[in-house]
Amino acid sequence: MMTNDTLVVGDIPADIQAAVIRVVKDLQDAFNAHDGDALAAQFGVRASWTNAVGRRLDGREEIAEFSGPALKGFLGDVYARYDVVKLLAVADGVVGVNVHQTPTDSTGNPVEGPRGVTTYVIARQEDGWKIVVGQNSAVDAPPAA
């Protein structure tokens, strides 16, 4: 999932880097398991999430209500790898995260398909580190070299 090429901007202690990256890994695992509840659990109670088709979902409950059917329905055969490429210290207990999403098969091997770039704001909440704001954007695959 993650590479050693993650750019860290600002002072983010190693334990916080690990906690934030764990949120992204858990989100990836929930997506690939097609588990809407586990996916929504990575978001804060009052999170705001805009998905790859531009639909804004507000709050963990709304994210769960949308994600469960979507992951079992039109996303049921879709898998992805999430690579954290940048961590940005925003404020105490707040980290900006840039992620590249690569389509994979069910075993994690890259396949042709839509790619994504995602920006998350992950913050320390009462129930742990959670995504509080997110924007997912579909992008074209890079041209073949």
Side-chain angles (χ1 to χ4, degrees):
M1 178 182 121
M2 307 303 156
T3 68
N4 292 331
D5 297 330
T6 302
L7 174 63
V8 178
V9 179
D11 183 22
I12 306 173
D15 62 326
I16 293 176
Q17 290 181 42
V20 168
I21 289 171
R22 169 55 55 197
V23 171
V24 176
K25 168 128 179 48
D26 289 348
L27 187 73
Q28 170 191 277
D29 292 349
F31 180 86
N32 288 332
H34 302 102
D35 184 339
D37 290 334
L39 185 135
Q42 303 314 308
F43 289 85
V45 172
R46 296 182 300 152
S48 182
W49 169 247
T50 303
N51 66 22
V53 296
R55 180 172 177 184
R56 191 185 78 228
L57 304 166
D58 290 319
R60 184 184 291 160
E61 186 176 319
E62 188 175 342
I63 293 167
E65 287 171 2
F66 174 83
S67 298
L71 289 169
K72 299 291 187 207
F74 70 93
L75 293 172
D77 292 325
V78 177
Y79 302 89
R81 183 184 73 229
Y82 297 178
D83 293 307
V84 173
V85 295
K86 182 178 179 181
L87 300 173
L88 171 67
V90 175
D92 186 39
V94 181
V95 179
V97 183
N98 294 117
V99 175
H100 287 173
Q101 299 170 334
T102 302
T104 68
D105 62 20
S106 62
T107 64
N109 293 312
V111 297
E112 293 298 318
R115 298 181 180 286
V117 292
T118 304
T119 300
Y120 300 117
V121 176
I122 298 178
R124 187 179 298 126
Q125 305 283 283
E126 289 181 11
D127 57 344
W129 288 90
K130 301 293 177 183
I131 300 165
V132 294
V133 177
Q135 169 71 49
N136 191 11
S137 301
V139 296
D140 292 330

